[in-house]
Amino acid sequence: MSVSIYNYKWLHRLFCTAVASSLGIAPVANAATPAPRKSVTAIPVSKLLPFSKKLDVLIEADLRSHGKRPNARSSDEEFVRRTYLNIVGRIPSYTETTAFLETRSSSKRSALIDQLLDSPGYVSHQFNLWADILRIKTRLPGNNGADNGQPYIDFLKTSLKQNQPYDAFVRDLIAADGPTWKRGNGAVGYYLRDKGMPLDNMANSAQIFLGTQLQCAQCHDHPFDKWTQLDFYKMAAFTEGVSSMRLRSSGALVKKALPRVGRTPSENNLRQANRIVSDALVNGLDHGGAGVIKLPKDYAYDNGKPGQSIKADTLFGADVALTFGPQPKKAKRGKQPPSKDIGSRAAYADWITSHDTPRFNTVIANRLWRQAMGRALIEPLDEITDKTVASNPALMKQLEALIEITRYDMKQFLRVVYNTQTYQRQATREDTLATDVYRFQGPLLRRMSGEQVWDSLLTLTLNNVDQPAPVNPRRTYYSQYDIYSKMSAPQITAEAKMLATTYKAKYDDDKGSLSKLIAIQAEKYKFDSKDLAANEKFAAEKSAMKQKMAAAKRKKDWKEVKKLSAQFNRKGYARGRVSNKYRRAADLTSPAPAGHLVRMFGASDREQIENNNQDAVVTQVLSLINGYVENDLIGRGTSELTARMKAAATSNDKLDVAFLSMLNRKPTRTESSTWLRVLKAGGENGYKDLVWTLSNSHEFIFIQ
């Protein structure tokens, strides 16, 4: 009798390890900061294609068993547009489109996939996806004027840039500790995001990483699943002790060192100076988890008593060994005694990411498959129960094995999926309800996300859209922590007094402006030299361009001024402003400001997990016609699209530029004859009508 590798965990693990070794993928140690992964091309695509073919075989067998046929192969025009949108979150530029279409190599599709997976655009797009899942914000709870979510943002972008293995990424989040503003320690933002709500944080962890809904069990036994309220609190015990998000040792030092101030207006300067020093030092997490929690006072089930201490235990999978000691009994008057730190969060992180924890592999494999294909094998992917069956169980098992074989390398996993014939088929355009079973004749037709719409419009505006936006020059808290963490109590006292005194002498008021106090610090310590080094070249080039424009204006050479102004815009120098103008969605404040085009097209407000939508509303059309398209694409005549159309020699060439830039294909014969008549009759307005029409077409808004 044949034995399935899925029936025996040890044999399955041996199989995955052997295959991973044959691909040259080293095992991932349980280190806090694993070494960055190499370029995807470090593994020849020829070694991965057998896995792609295996996925195709399973899909085609499922289609035959249900009397269906796969879709036809997509055209190169469809493929290049879809692949840019799926991997880097934007349409390809005119140059990128024509370069791909003119390439004659039979392996050009695989080569494009590799190129995009290793590009900066991959980081930008993946950041948008994961920021929605993790509900990342620039300003998190406890904000005191600082962008305290920035370290969390930086952590996520660095993790994606280094291609950190997924299991190590999750482990870093769950076991995070230390100061918020210590460089490279932004994972503590995972708990800061839910400051004061540790029970909600635990429920979110189960939903995001295990696809298990526990929210209902927080207050009562789950009405539709087997989880009880007692199960919920056993899980919550792992992270008990993370509520305060204030470092105990630093808090004691700051409390002792900072000069006491009253509430009078004359003391505002010193009060704000104290705040700056305190914010830099005390924010963070230094409690590793108590492993013990008390049931709520209104607990009403017969398997426990109100206020009873409950030890941590897992929902499923392997048991977690914890060493429990006596909990503290004494506390200050009117306060609960502090919970003992036994390091249960690290054990919890190891359990979640263990190969033997059911659903961990399923959820991430299912999530990445949905990213590529537009539909998961299990929908919804975060409501898995013991009765859940994937739409194609054999394919689901193969994807679970693939995530282990690739050692949780999300790039290599996606590389396998994008190289399937299934992904490279034409999109299915028929309406499919969320409750319908989809058999994957090809990817599903879907609307762009708000971030994809915005980044695609930027592609039409700039000629270097993937250039990282300049660092915000007000990001000084990293530097503050570097300085203050090395100070003694007397030095901290002197620092706060110095800031207040200098402010009073320089500005002669008692407003205590945080921005001005930070400027005083920056001047004294040369803050942000590390953060801003990357901006120096950008700033120098921008300054040189401004000087050229000024010289042309003095000569009244308006033709040259217009030319330089267009270059200034297209090269992205305007992105040096504090505003969100011409920044990719991943570089906007998080979430994007209300009223921004990204939000109009359904981007998340980051209040709930994946709280985005793709609903069509009238305001979207109006925001394109009367907003960005009018003002930035065609109104000022400085966009990359407009410049390229103006440079085209004939009306036919201009038409090709518009279609290849916006829809990534040439116009059909019918489209050409129609639009040539419009352009001839309308002149300049005809070209505006063309851009308006294409930008509001279904073909532009949808990924096919």
Side-chain angles (χ1 to χ4, degrees):
M1 182 177 68
S2 62
V3 179
S4 168
I5 63 169
Y6 305 113
N7 293 335
Y8 295 94
K9 290 182 180 178
W10 66 270
L11 189 57
H12 171 60
R13 194 80 60 251
L14 183 64
F15 168 79
C16 292
T17 301
V19 174
S21 298
S22 71
L23 293 174
I25 303 176
V28 179
N30 288 355
T33 308
R37 294 287 177 91
K38 296 178 181 178
S39 164
V40 291
T41 55
I43 300 174
V45 71
S46 59
K47 287 192 173 185
L48 292 177
L49 287 179
F51 298 101
S52 301
K53 291 177 181 177
K54 176 63 175 176
L55 300 181
D56 284 326
V57 167
L58 293 172
I59 291 168
E60 290 168 15
D62 184 63
L63 287 170
R64 285 194 298 272
S65 70
H66 290 88
K68 297 180 180 295
R69 297 175 59 84
N71 296 340
R73 183 175 171 86
S74 63
S75 66
D76 280 350
E77 290 84 354
E78 291 169 330
F79 177 83
V80 68
R81 181 183 177 86
R82 175 196 303 167
T83 305
Y84 267 86
L85 282 164
N86 278 349
I87 300 181
V88 298
R90 62 172 176 84
I91 61 173
S93 68
Y94 173 88
T95 302
E96 291 165 336
T97 300
T98 54
F100 179 80
L101 296 180
E102 291 169 3
T103 300
R104 299 303 175 195
S105 170
S106 60
S107 61
K108 69 178 185 178
R109 294 193 175 194
S110 290
L112 179 64
I113 291 166
D114 290 350
Q115 171 195 327
L116 296 181
L117 286 172
D118 279 334
S119 72
Y122 168 84
V123 175
S124 292
H125 184 48
Q126 290 295 117
F127 172 83
N128 293 331
L129 299 174
W130 280 101
D132 277 1
I133 295 168
L134 299 172
R135 300 169 301 123
I136 287 181
K137 290 187 172 186
T138 301
R139 293 194 171 187
L140 298 179
N143 170 64
N144 288 318
D147 291 345
N148 59 342
Q150 191 61 52
Y152 196 12
I153 292 171
D154 293 344
F155 164 78
L156 177 55
K157 288 184 177 179
T158 299
S159 175
L160 293 169
K161 185 176 181 180
Q162 295 182 347
N163 195 27
Q164 186 182 24
Y166 175 71
D167 57 343
F169 167 68
V170 175
R171 192 179 298 113
D172 277 359
L173 292 174
I174 301 297
D177 65 1
T180 299
W181 288 103
K182 182 179 180 181
R183 296 178 191 272
N185 205 45
V188 295
Y190 183 71
Y191 291 100
L192 181 59
R193 173 63 185 83
D194 294 318
K195 183 180 179 181
M197 301 186 295
L199 299 181
D200 293 316
N201 179 273
M202 193 284 298
N204 289 333
S205 296
Q207 181 178 343
I208 293 169
F209 305 124
L210 300 176
T212 303
Q213 296 274 359
L214 292 179
Q215 292 89 329
C216 288
Q218 182 173 338
C219 300
H220 49 74
D221 289 355
H222 201 298
F224 308 117
D225 209 339
K226 66 181 183 180
W227 312 121
T228 66
Q229 191 177 11
L230 184 63
D231 291 328
F232 181 95
Y233 274 86
K234 285 180 179 179
M235 286 289 290
F238 282 108
T239 59
E240 176 68 4
V242 303
S243 296
S244 69
M245 292 303 298
R246 288 177 67 85
L247 299 169
R248 290 167 287 185
S249 57
S250 297
L253 172 65
V254 166
K255 186 175 181 180
K256 175 184 176 182
L258 290 180
R260 296 185 180 276
V261 294
R263 288 290 177 184
T264 62
S266 63
E267 295 173 299
N268 280 342
N269 296 339
L270 186 54
R271 187 183 304 111
Q272 295 289 62
N274 283 354
R275 205 170 127 191
I276 287 176
V277 177
S278 177
D279 287 349
L281 286 178
V282 303
N283 288 316
L285 177 59
D286 58 3
H287 196 297
V292 175
I293 195 171
K294 289 186 177 181
L295 291 176
K297 293 180 180 179
D298 60 352
Y299 191 78
Y301 297 101
D302 57 10
N303 55 1
K305 298 178 180 180
Q308 177 183 345
S309 292
I310 299 296
K311 292 182 178 180
D313 196 9
T314 57
L315 295 172
F316 38 60
D319 292 331
V320 175
L322 296 173
T323 303
F324 295 96
Q327 291 293 312
K329 296 182 179 179
K330 294 183 179 180
K332 293 182 179 180
R333 184 176 298 176
K335 293 186 177 181
Q336 290 289 332
S339 55
K340 184 177 180 181
D341 183 349
I342 67 166
S344 55
R345 281 196 299 113
Y348 173 49
D350 288 341
W351 171 76
I352 280 187
T353 58
S354 168
H355 298 296
D356 296 323
T357 297
R359 305 184 187 178
F360 182 67
N361 290 356
T362 303
V363 169
I364 185 56
N366 202 34
R367 190 182 295 283
L368 295 175
W369 179 261
R370 182 183 67 176
Q371 178 182 334
M373 298 294 181
R375 178 70 65 88
L377 290 164
I378 298 173
E379 289 281 3
L381 58 74
D382 57 1
E383 291 185 21
I384 300 174
T385 70
D386 289 346
K387 297 179 181 179
T388 297
V389 178
S391 60
N392 186 332
L395 177 61
M396 189 72 256
K397 287 293 185 184
Q398 188 67 27
L399 293 175
E400 290 169 3
L402 180 62
I403 198 67
E404 281 199 44
I405 288 169
T406 57
R407 300 292 193 191
Y408 297 93
D409 186 325
M410 291 189 286
K411 280 189 181 182
Q412 294 292 6
F413 182 97
L414 288 170
R415 189 184 183 202
V416 170
V417 174
Y418 289 135
N419 273 286
T420 61
Q421 291 303 309
T422 301
Y423 174 77
Q424 297 183 29
R425 297 190 189 284
Q426 292 178 0
T428 297
R429 289 172 167 76
E430 292 81 11
D431 286 339
T432 56
L433 300 175
T435 54
D436 293 341
V437 175
Y438 182 58
R439 298 296 172 188
F440 298 98
Q441 298 93 312
L444 270 177
L445 180 74
R446 54 198 136 142
R447 283 173 62 91
M448 288 189 199
S449 67
E451 293 87 352
Q452 287 171 320
V453 172
W454 174 251
D455 287 346
S456 294
L457 291 173
L458 287 187
T459 302
L460 299 171
T461 308
L462 310 171
N463 68 357
N464 57 347
V465 67
D466 286 329
Q467 174 181 300
V471 173
N472 186 339
R474 289 189 65 234
R475 194 190 304 173
T476 60
Y477 279 80
Y478 287 130
S479 300
Q480 287 175 344
Y481 178 82
D482 291 343
I483 298 291
Y484 295 156
S485 62
K486 299 178 178 65
M487 284 186 176
S488 63
Q491 288 173 322
I492 290 174
T493 304
E495 174 72 10
K497 291 181 177 179
M498 178 278 296
L499 288 174
T501 302
T502 305
Y503 181 94
K504 178 67 174 178
K506 189 170 184 177
Y507 299 106
D508 193 27
D509 66 50
D510 297 310
K511 294 180 180 179
S513 166
L514 282 173
S515 61
K516 290 179 179 178
L517 283 164
I518 288 173
I520 292 170
Q521 288 179 314
E523 185 176 349
K524 177 181 178 181
Y525 293 112
K526 307 301 181 186
F527 277 172
D528 292 323
S529 58
K530 294 180 182 178
D531 295 329
L532 301 180
N535 287 356
E536 291 179 359
K537 182 180 178 182
F538 184 89
E541 292 174 348
K542 178 179 177 179
S543 177
M545 181 68 77
K546 277 188 170 182
Q547 291 175 14
K548 288 182 180 179
M549 290 168 64
K553 287 179 181 178
R554 287 193 296 269
K555 295 178 181 178
K556 297 185 178 181
D557 187 348
W558 304 118
K559 186 176 180 180
E560 181 68 8
V561 169
K562 190 173 183 179
K563 174 184 173 184
L564 291 172
S565 178
Q567 291 178 5
F568 186 88
N569 188 34
R570 295 200 308 276
K571 285 181 176 294
Y573 292 134
R575 290 194 285 178
R577 302 171 189 166
V578 176
S579 71
N580 286 316
K581 192 76 167 177
Y582 303 135
R583 289 176 180 263
R584 281 202 67 166
D587 295 324
L588 299 173
T589 53
S590 187
H596 193 284
L597 188 141
V598 171
R599 293 287 291 276
M600 288 185 182
F601 277 84
S604 172
D605 59 7
R606 306 277 166 81
E607 293 298 331
Q608 297 178 356
I609 297 169
E610 293 189 285
N611 194 28
N612 57 344
N613 70 78
Q614 296 180 339
D615 298 334
V617 294
V618 174
T619 53
Q620 294 171 353
V621 178
L622 295 177
S623 66
L624 285 179
I625 294 177
N626 300 321
Y628 194 93
V629 173
E630 171 64 30
N631 296 329
D632 297 271
L633 279 189
I634 54 180
R636 295 174 185 164
T638 58
S639 69
E640 178 73 8
L641 172 62
T642 304
R644 194 173 289 278
M645 288 176 68
K646 286 182 177 179
T650 66
S651 295
N652 276 309
D653 292 338
K654 294 178 191 295
L655 196 58
D656 284 350
V657 166
F659 271 79
L660 285 166
S661 297
M662 301 185 74
L663 304 184
N664 311 109
R665 64 170 177 83
K666 287 189 175 183
T668 64
R669 225 178 249 183
T670 302
E671 288 169 333
S672 290
S673 61
T674 300
W675 277 109
L676 286 173
R677 288 196 300 270
V678 172
L679 297 180
K680 184 177 180 181
E684 188 69 24
N685 287 331
Y687 291 105
K688 291 184 178 182
D689 290 342
L690 172 61
V691 176
W692 274 337
T693 303
L694 295 186
S695 64
N696 283 282
S697 67
H698 284 177
E699 190 173 349
F700 181 78
I701 296 297
F702 279 81
I703 306 172
Q704 58 179 327

